[in-house]
Amino acid sequence: MKPEHLALLNSVSPPAVHPDGSRAVVSVNRPDLQVDSYVGQLWTVPLDQEKLPRRITRGFRDTAPAFSPDGLVLAFLRTDGPSSKAQLWVVEADGGEPQVLTDRLLGVETFSWSPDSHRIVFSSREPEAGRYGSAADVGAEAEEPRLISTYQYRLNGVGYTRDRPRQLFVVEVPGLGGEPDAPLPDARQVTSLATDAGTGTFSADGSAVYFTASLHDDDDDDGLATAIYRVPGAGGEPVAVEVTAPMAQSVADVRESKDGGWLFYIARDLGGSGRDFVAQNAVLFCMPSGGGEPVPLTDPQMMDVSAPGSRIELRGPDRALVLNNAQGTVELLELGATGGHSLPVHGDKTVTGAAWAGGSLFVAFADPSTCGDLAVLEDGQLRILTDFSADLRTRTDILVPQEVTFDAPDGYPVHGWVVRPAGQGPHPVLLNIHGGPFTQYTVALFDEAQVYVAAGYAVLMCNPRGSAGYGRDHGLAIKGRFGTDDMQDVLAFLDGALAKFPALDAGRLGIMGGSYGGYLTAWTIAHHHRFQAAIVERGFLDPVSFEGSADIGWYFGGGYLGDSADALAAQSPLGHAAQVRTPTLVIHSENDLRCPLEQGQRYYTALKRQGVEAELLVFPGEDHELSRSGRPRHRMQRFEHILRWWSRFLPTAANPAGVPPR
C-alpha cells in the first residue's frame, strides 16, 4: 500500500436493519484526494444471497442511516460539500427523492427515532449570537472576548464549547413526496443547557427523551462525572434519573429497553474523588427505568465496552448488544436485563457495529484483510455480505500480521503483531507505539502498517502494560510510573521479534508513536540509543505546560503521573531531552487541543539546542486526529514525509534515500 492508496480505504458504518430483517443499510465512506475531503453514500445490503448490495444515495457524504421503527422511512445525515455541515435528511425506505429536515448553522451530530416513527430527536450545537460566523458581518477576529471561569471550555476537534453547547431538538417528520420547495419543519429545542447534552434517545413510550450531561455548578466542575437525565419530548426542565451507585460515574450512552422496564447505560466508575479515570473499564449497567441501584452486566475488572463507536443497541424487549475490547480484538456481547449473556461474535475480528431486527443480526466489522464490511450471523457463524475492500486488495499487496507474544524481563507476557515484508531481508524494523495509553492495537487492517511494510520495513505493534483490552490491572500498571513497565514491554517485544525472525535487521531500527505513543517514543530515545532515528507525533511531552493548555490538561497529567512537581519532572520527556542522541522528526498539528502544538515545538527546540538532528513538521488546520480523519491530502503528505525521514536513516530498495516527498 502506498500513500496515494488512502483513497481505497472504505469505512463502513454500523448497520441500520429494516424492521422485517430483510436488509440492512450502511454508509460507505472514503478519503477523496481530488476534492480533499471524505465522500460516500448509503448502500442497501440484502439478506437474500441472490441479490447484490447496491448504492441507494448520491450525496457528497451520506452517513448514519437509521430506519424508522415502522420501516417506512430511512433517515440519515448528509454533508453537501467539503466545507458544509451535516444536516438531517429522510427518504422513503423503498426509494425516492431525499428530503432535508434541518438547516442547522453548526450541523447535526447525532439523532434517534421516536417509537411512533413520527419524530426524530437530534443534537446540534447552538451558538451564542455573534459567535462562530452566526452573523455574516462578524468574523472570528471581531468576536467579543470570552470570559472563562471553568476548567472545561474547549474540546479537540470542536474548539470553544461553553458559548456553543450541544443541545437537543425534536422535529416532526413530514409526509414525504410533497412539494420540493416546501419550508423546513420547525425543530423544537428541548434542552437549554450551559454545557453539552449527550445523544438523545426516546423512552419506550415516546413521551420523554433520555440523555447524559454534566450539570454541576461552574464552581464545582473539576470532576468528570456525568449523569442521566430525562426531559419531556415537548421540552421542559430536565430531571435527573436517580442512580444509587456507590461512586461517581461518567455515563457515555443510555437506552431504555423496548418493554420500558429497564435502563441500560454504559459508564465508568470514577471513585470517591469523581476523577479516578485511569484504566477504568467501561461497564454496561442496568437498572429499573424509574431509578434505583444499577447492576453491572459486564465485569468491571476484565471487560471494557468502550470500543470506538460503541453504543447500546437493543435486541428484543429487554436485551442489549455492546462491543467489548478484548486482547487486540473487539467482540460483540449480548446481555439481558434480568440475566443471561452470550458472545455472538469473537475471534480475529474487530466489530465496529451491530443491529438486530426481524430475526436478523447484522454485524459491521474489520479484520486483517478489510477495513470495513458487513455480515449476518447465521447458526453462530458470520456470512459475509459485502466486499468493500476488494479494490484495495486488487491494487495493493495486503500483508497479514503475525500474532506473537514475548515475555518482558519480569516474565510478563507482551502481546502484539509483526508484519514482515516479502523477501529474504534483512529488513529494517519500525517499532510502532499506540496512543492512549488506555487503547489497543487490534487485528483490523491498519493503513500505517501496510504503508510501511510496502516500503520495505518490518513493523512491530504491541499492547504493553497500560493498554486496554487485557483487564484493569494491565491498564493500571503504569499509573504514576510512565516510562517503566511500558518501556520494558515494547523493548522486550522488539527483542523477542528480533530473536524469532532472522530476516529482521537488529542493526537498523526505528521507533515511532503518536500522542501517548509519542510520549513513550521520546522517553525511550532518552534512555536507549539503539535506534537510528525516531518520529514523535502529536506527543504528550511536557506534563507541566500540558496542565494549562490541553483540553484534558486539568486532570489527565495528575491522574496518570501524580500531582507533585517531582513526579511530573521525573516522568517528563522534555525534562529528559538532554539525554537524547537519536535523530528525531517531530510531527504536530496547529489546531491540536489534546496535545497542543507547544508540546512539539518545545521538544523540537530542546533537541535542536543540544545539537540533535531534528525536524518539525506542522500541519495547518489539523487537530489531534490528523492521521485518522485529517484532510486526505494532509494524510497522504504525512505518509510521504514519514517515508522520506525513514529513507534518510533506514533506506530500503522500495524507499531509497534521496527521494523527496511530492
Side-chain angles (χ1 to χ4, degrees), residues 255-264 286-289 317-318 337-338:
R255 291 289 303 272
E256 188 171 65
S257 63
K258 291 184 178 181
D259 64 10
W262 304 95
L263 276 185
F264 293 105
C286 183
M287 69 179 191
S289 290
D318 62 352
T338 57

Side-chain angles (χ1 to χ4, degrees), residues 474-655:
H474 183 89
L476 277 173
I478 62 170
K479 181 177 181 179
R481 304 178 62 249
F482 266 32
T484 58
D485 291 340
D486 46 356
M487 182 173 68
Q488 291 184 34
D489 287 356
V490 297
L491 293 178
F493 192 84
L494 169 62
D495 290 333
L498 293 174
K500 181 177 178 66
F501 302 107
L504 273 57
D505 190 341
R508 292 195 295 161
L509 305 177
I511 183 172
M512 62 191 303
S515 196
Y516 159 78
Y519 171 99
L520 196 53
T521 296
W523 184 264
T524 300
I525 60 176
H527 294 82
H528 296 270
H529 308 300
R530 59 190 295 189
F531 298 95
Q532 275 63 59
I535 297 178
V536 173
E537 185 171 10
R538 61 182 186 275
F540 169 54
L541 302 170
D542 178 23
V544 176
S545 64
F546 188 88
E547 181 176 353
S549 59
D551 63 347
I552 61 172
W554 52 275
Y555 70 87
F556 182 87
Y560 259 115
L561 307 184
D563 290 321
S564 75
D566 289 344
L568 294 180
Q571 298 169 83
S572 169
L574 186 64
H576 291 75
Q579 301 165 218
V580 175
R581 302 290 179 267
T582 307
T584 301
L585 172 63
V586 180
I587 303 176
H588 231 99
S589 296
E590 278 190 347
N591 294 343
D592 191 337
L593 299 183
R594 184 58 41 88
C595 292
L597 177 59
E598 56 86 17
Q599 296 277 305
Q601 290 171 320
R602 297 184 68 207
Y603 184 72
Y604 161 75
T605 301
L607 298 184
K608 290 284 286 185
R609 285 177 64 87
Q610 63 197 38
V612 175
E613 187 168 1
E615 293 179 356
L616 175 63
L617 179 64
V618 179
F619 284 89
E622 300 291 354
D623 59 34
H624 200 65
E625 300 302 308
L626 163 65
S627 65
R628 296 177 281 259
S629 59
R631 294 173 73 98
R633 289 178 193 167
H634 279 164
R635 288 180 63 184
M636 182 177 71
Q637 291 164 349
R638 169 184 171 271
F639 272 141
E640 291 171 344
H641 275 281
I642 287 173
L643 293 178
R644 172 193 60 83
W645 182 257
W646 292 130
S647 74
R648 286 184 57 191
F649 301 97
L650 299 171
T652 67
N655 188 37

Side-chain angles (χ1 to χ4, degrees), residues 67 90-91 124 126 201 307 312 356 454 474 492 525 552 554 611 616 655:
F67 282 106
V90 289
V91 65
S124 178
E126 181 72 3
T201 58
I312 300 167
W356 176 91
H474 183 89
I525 60 176
I552 61 172
W554 52 275
L616 175 63
N655 188 37

Side-chain angles (χ1 to χ4, degrees), residues 16 73 93 129 185 195 225 237 282 287 297 301 322 373 396 404 508 535 537 582 614 618 621:
V73 180
T195 187
E237 190 67 25
M287 69 179 191
L297 300 183
Q301 295 300 314
V322 291
D373 270 305
T396 67
V404 290
R508 292 195 295 161
I535 297 178
E537 185 171 10
T582 307
V618 179

Side-chain angles (χ1 to χ4, degrees), residues 130-142:
R131 296 282 188 198
Y132 302 96
S134 59
D137 58 345
V138 178
E141 71 283 354

Side-chain angles (χ1 to χ4, degrees), residues 120 138 154 189 394 530 598 653:
I120 293 176
V138 178
R154 292 196 303 169
Q189 186 171 339
T394 298
R530 59 190 295 189
E598 56 86 17

